[in-house]
Amino acid sequence: MKKGNVLIKNAAELVTCSGFQAKKGKEMNDLHVIPQGAVVMEEGIIKAVGTTEEILKNYNESDYEVIDATGKAVLPGFVDSHTHFVFGGYRAEEFSWRLRGDSYMEIMERGGGIINSVRATKEATKEELHRVGKKRLDSMLSFGVTTVEGKSGYGLDYDTEIKQLEVMDTLNQEHPIDIVKTFLGAHAVPKDYKGREDEFIDYLIEQVLPTVAERNLAEFCDIFCEKNVFSVEQSRRLLIKAKEMGMQVKLHADEIVQLGGAELAAELGAVSADHLLQASDQGIADMAKAGVVATLLPATAFSLREHYARGRYMIDQGCAVALASDLNPGSCFTESIPLVFALATLYMKMSIEEAVTALTINGAAAVGRADQIGSIDVGKQGDVIILEFPSYKYIPYHIAVSTVEKVVKKGVLVFDKEVKS
């Protein structure tokens, strides 16, 4: 029996999320559920999908590792399309400051926030970052995440930014979870460049971006387009250069103030614009028209006690919406996918079906891989999760608790809650 040959049968619900591109608007409610479903994987690739009765007529169980999913729901692996999971140090004290009423920007302005994590990440060795990065990936896997986007951005200099990306590259080769790497050198303004933000953008363009592109250390370039961080024009300049070097682009957009980041994302044909708590009606309309995925991060709004992004409005306006954790040491120290599900359905007025779509096929689209992952379709990678319960509706219902029992990655069982270590 070849590695990666798996047959999952008798699924109470086989939730295929079928599709090869982002789903927009009303399409997000269509999960393509097959009752009593089965899926066949050969050498890590999905070979057949259908009812168990149909599949067993055409495939011999003895040729596969068989997983009986009787009474359980089967879904595509989750895609967490926005994280900062490789970082040094922690910022627990800042959390307590926020509890007493200090704002995120106030903390940032007095040397906390991202700059605090920059100091700790610069001091950390590659071995230390690898160790904590692997631990965080292991936790994500237990929540059903099979692909994750990881951003740099806790260096703001050549050596540390490259160090973060190299650590992610090594982890991508060693860990079951696929890692999509994003260069976020423009995550904050270093102290030495305060008031000289244009010069810092020049530094990134001239000294850091070329190495990232030449060594293929990142697929995406991102920037924190925000008041008192980087302007729309500065963001435009960096991202255009990144595109010229062959990278795809993303933006942290309109998180704290309405600056025009959503409009810029549409103008540049960005793959995604993320956060979007303050995105304008025009920006949302522009994104919908341009096909930019709106990646929403409800756990961050929850952690910062901010109003949530207008997920319901965005979907109704024809946007493709993805959901992600935004795991980071400051504004959102959690990788809990079930918490993201609960917040999206309870407070962002998204249906359960829309939330499932947002964390599967639309999450895949937000990292440029909807043709390879994000759904249970023939020809795609065999990334599948099996729940403890018979329906996907249990995911947000069991609030903030993982319902994932098994994870299959590229046709190999890589996590099983039932197996005690």
Side-chain angles (χ1 to χ4, degrees):
M1 188 184 300
K2 290 183 179 179
K3 185 178 180 181
N5 284 18
V6 172
L7 192 159
I8 301 172
K9 65 178 184 178
N10 298 327
E13 292 178 349
L14 181 64
V15 184
T16 69
C17 301
S18 184
F20 291 81
Q21 60 187 11
K23 294 185 179 182
K24 303 177 180 181
K26 293 179 180 178
E27 297 173 346
M28 289 183 63
N29 274 303
D30 193 354
L31 297 182
H32 296 275
V33 178
I34 302 173
Q36 293 303 307
V39 56
V40 178
M41 295 166 237
E42 294 183 358
E43 297 184 40
I45 301 298
I46 297 170
K47 184 76 174 178
V49 180
T51 66
T52 299
E53 183 180 7
E54 292 167 347
I55 293 297
L56 294 184
K57 284 179 182 176
N58 298 302
Y59 293 88
N60 189 338
E61 292 186 57
S62 63
D63 294 334
Y64 302 89
E65 177 185 352
V66 177
I67 299 175
D68 191 337
T70 298
K72 304 175 192 300
V74 174
L75 295 88
F78 296 133
V79 181
D80 192 345
S81 56
H82 182 128
T83 82
H84 308 249
F85 78 93
V86 173
F87 58 84
Y90 294 93
R91 283 152 50 193
E93 188 173 10
E94 292 181 17
F95 184 82
S96 68
W97 293 346
R98 291 206 306 274
L99 293 179
R100 75 185 187 194
D102 296 4
S103 74
Y104 181 77
M105 294 305 286
E106 285 171 344
I107 293 169
M108 202 168 169
E109 285 165 6
R110 65 170 184 255
I114 293 166
I115 299 299
N116 193 343
S117 291
V118 167
R119 285 192 293 269
T121 306
K122 283 183 177 180
E123 293 169 2
T125 66
K126 287 177 77 170
E127 291 72 25
E128 289 168 336
L129 292 177
H130 181 280
R131 178 178 53 80
V132 295
K134 180 183 180 300
K135 185 176 180 181
R136 292 165 193 150
L137 289 173
D138 289 344
S139 179
M140 292 178 198
L141 189 66
S142 74
F143 288 120
V145 172
T146 53
T147 299
V148 66
E149 186 254 19
K151 302 178 189 293
S152 66
Y154 292 125
L156 311 182
D157 63 12
Y158 181 95
D159 290 340
T160 315
E161 291 293 316
I162 298 300
K163 177 172 68 174
Q164 279 190 276
L165 293 169
E166 286 177 339
V167 168
M168 282 187 264
D169 196 49
T170 301
L171 287 167
N172 186 45
Q173 297 170 47
E174 298 174 353
H175 200 277
I177 293 179
D178 286 331
I179 300 167
V180 180
K181 302 183 297 297
T182 294
F183 171 61
L184 182 58
H187 195 193
V189 182
K191 281 186 177 179
D192 294 348
Y193 282 93
K194 282 290 184 185
R196 299 188 297 125
E197 289 80 7
D198 283 325
E199 291 179 40
F200 182 61
I201 295 296
D202 290 338
Y203 166 73
L204 294 177
I205 289 172
E206 294 166 10
Q207 298 190 42
V208 190
L209 258 182
T211 298
V212 174
E214 287 165 15
R215 293 182 54 194
N216 197 28
L217 286 173
E219 297 175 41
F220 290 91
C221 181
D222 195 349
I223 187 168
F224 192 5
C225 181
E226 187 59 67
K227 183 181 179 183
N228 297 326
V229 190
F230 298 105
S231 69
V232 168
E233 183 49 44
Q234 289 159 350
S235 301
R236 180 185 288 111
R237 193 154 62 88
L238 176 68
L239 296 179
I240 286 174
K241 286 294 183 182
K243 290 184 76 171
E244 289 174 358
M245 294 183 196
M247 300 171 71
Q248 300 182 82
V249 299
K250 295 172 166 282
L251 287 87
H252 282 55
D254 299 322
E255 178 184 6
I256 299 164
V257 300
Q258 191 178 108
L259 197 68
E263 289 90 336
L264 179 63
E267 173 194 325
L268 296 178
V271 173
S272 75
D274 304 16
H275 285 292
L276 301 169
L277 276 67
Q278 307 298 332
S280 69
D281 290 356
Q282 186 61 55
I284 291 166
D286 290 351
M287 285 175 57
K289 185 175 180 181
V292 179
V293 178
T295 299
L296 309 184
L297 313 169
T300 307
F302 173 74
S303 177
L304 295 175
R305 296 193 287 195
E306 298 286 351
H307 293 294
Y308 294 92
R310 295 185 289 162
R312 174 78 271 131
Y313 177 83
M314 292 178 191
I315 294 171
D316 291 344
Q317 296 305 305
C319 270
V321 168
L323 292 167
S325 70
D326 193 22
L327 168 64
N328 73 75
S331 62
C332 188
F333 186 43
T334 183
E335 65 273 28
S336 175
I337 294 298
L339 175 61
V340 172
F341 261 105
L343 295 174
T345 51
L346 288 170
Y347 296 108
M348 293 171 64
K349 300 181 181 179
M350 291 174 65
S351 70
I352 300 174
E353 291 76 15
E354 289 166 344
V356 170
T357 296
L359 273 153
T360 54
I361 187 63
N362 282 10
V367 295
R369 297 192 182 182
D371 59 333
Q372 305 167 50
I373 59 172
S375 67
I376 302 177
D377 279 308
V378 172
K380 285 198 176 184
Q381 200 163 277
D383 297 355
V384 172
I385 61 174
I386 301 172
L387 305 187
E388 299 174 88
F389 297 105
S391 173
Y392 64 87
K393 292 178 182 177
Y394 282 77
I395 300 171
Y397 166 59
H398 202 184
I399 296 174
V401 177
S402 181
T403 59
V404 174
E405 183 179 275
K406 293 179 173 66
V407 179
V408 174
K409 178 68 180 180
K410 298 178 184 174
V412 177
L413 183 64
V414 292
F415 173 81
D416 191 343
K417 191 184 287 187
E418 293 185 322
V419 176
K420 305 299 180 184
S421 58

